[in-house]
Amino acid sequence: MLKISGLSKVYPTGTSALKNVSFTVEEPNVVTIIGPSGAGKSTLIRCINRLVEPTSGTIVLDDVDILALNRRDLRRVRRRIGMIFQEYNLVERLTVMENLLSGRLGYVGFWRTYRRVFPPEDVAAAFALLERVGLSGYQSTRADALSGGERQRVGISRALMQEPDLLLVDEPTASLDPKTSRQIMRILVE
Ligand code: ADP
Ligand code: MG
């Protein structure tokens, strides 16, 4: 369960992006936040994994007080929170498989990742996810050679490699055409 209470964010510029936001998400569930540009949607989503530090309020994920965590514990909790962005955030020069396996970074450790040594079960999980999002056979394709819809499907697969308890998704279809958008939303809901 995710419980947000009295969440506020004032940026150093003085912009008040969130004012006293409270809501609870029971699991399993898909919750959509709708609002005009500048309403504070991205700020809200980013507060949940503390990419943005809230000014006040509390965020509790399964009894863990997110805002009270030190850096080390925050890193551990972030492994349970997947994130998917509008702009994909893939490593352009790496292959689809390498991008997916980098989703395991929090588990595998920097040096093993750097040397590109991955456990066989992670590689098997990556192949299974690629099949699930309709990208079988794309493992060796470089990210910069993919279409927008394909990139976002890699982004989704990479986030799922973490086996997250919570998936934060910020305007995942903003740069996609309507048909591809529906396909991406269907995969996300699934
Ligand atoms: P949305 O995602 O709904 O479009 P945002 O969360 O990006 O909204 O922005 C909410 C408000 O906070 C806007 O007024 C925006 O200009 C402001 N804002 C967002 N990020 C920053 C930042 N890093 N520094 C200062 N102001 C920001
Ligand atoms: Mg936004």
Side-chain angles (χ1 to χ4, degrees):
M1 192 185 78
L2 175 69
K3 188 172 166 57
I4 293 183
S5 317
L7 191 68
S8 295
K9 172 66 183 179
V10 181
Y11 283 107
T13 52
T15 303
S16 179
L18 298 174
K19 282 182 205 161
N20 200 23
V21 175
S22 303
F23 65 96
T24 301
V25 181
E26 310 281 351
E27 61 185 327
N29 216 333
V30 179
V31 174
T32 306
I33 300 160
I34 300 173
S37 182
K41 306 178 297 292
S42 295
T43 301
L44 173 60
I45 287 174
R46 286 159 184 263
C47 280
I48 294 171
N49 61 2
R50 281 176 59 187
L51 287 178
V52 168
E53 288 291 348
T55 309
S56 59
T58 58
I59 300 174
V60 178
L61 177 64
D62 295 336
D63 300 324
V64 177
D65 181 352
I66 300 273
L67 302 186
L69 298 174
N70 60 31
R71 299 306 303 176
R72 201 172 124 261
D73 291 338
L74 177 61
R75 218 163 29 240
R76 202 160 39 78
V77 168
R78 272 185 181 158
R79 287 179 202 160
R80 297 165 44 205
I81 306 177
M83 186 137 191
I84 297 170
F85 303 90
Q86 172 186 334
E87 59 277 13
Y88 322 118
N89 286 75
L90 302 181
V91 185
E92 297 290 326
R93 294 171 50 255
L94 295 186
T95 65
V96 165
M97 180 55 75
E98 287 165 336
N99 267 285
L100 251 65
L101 292 171
S102 74
R104 297 294 291 180
L105 196 64
Y107 291 102
V108 174
F110 175 76
W111 286 108
R112 284 184 77 182
T113 308
Y114 181 75
R115 287 165 33 231
R116 299 187 186 170
V117 180
F118 293 98
E121 61 269 26
D122 285 358
V123 177
F127 274 113
L129 278 169
L130 283 180
E131 190 176 340
R132 204 166 138 199
V133 300
L135 286 180
S136 296
Y138 280 75
Q139 61 274 1
S140 304
T141 307
R142 268 173 55 149
D144 54 14
L146 298 173
S147 71
E150 290 162 352
R151 280 155 178 264
Q152 194 54 295
R153 283 184 277 159
V154 174
I156 293 170
S157 307
R158 183 184 53 186
L160 292 178
M161 281 296 287
Q162 294 180 60
E163 297 167 23
D165 297 327
L166 176 67
L167 199 51
L168 302 174
V169 187
D170 194 356
E171 297 209 44
T173 62
S175 353
L176 302 175
D177 60 82
K179 180 162 171 275
T180 310
S181 297
R182 281 195 293 278
Q183 179 193 41
I184 291 295
M185 291 314 290
R186 209 161 34 234
I187 291 171
L188 281 172
V189 171
E190 246 173 65

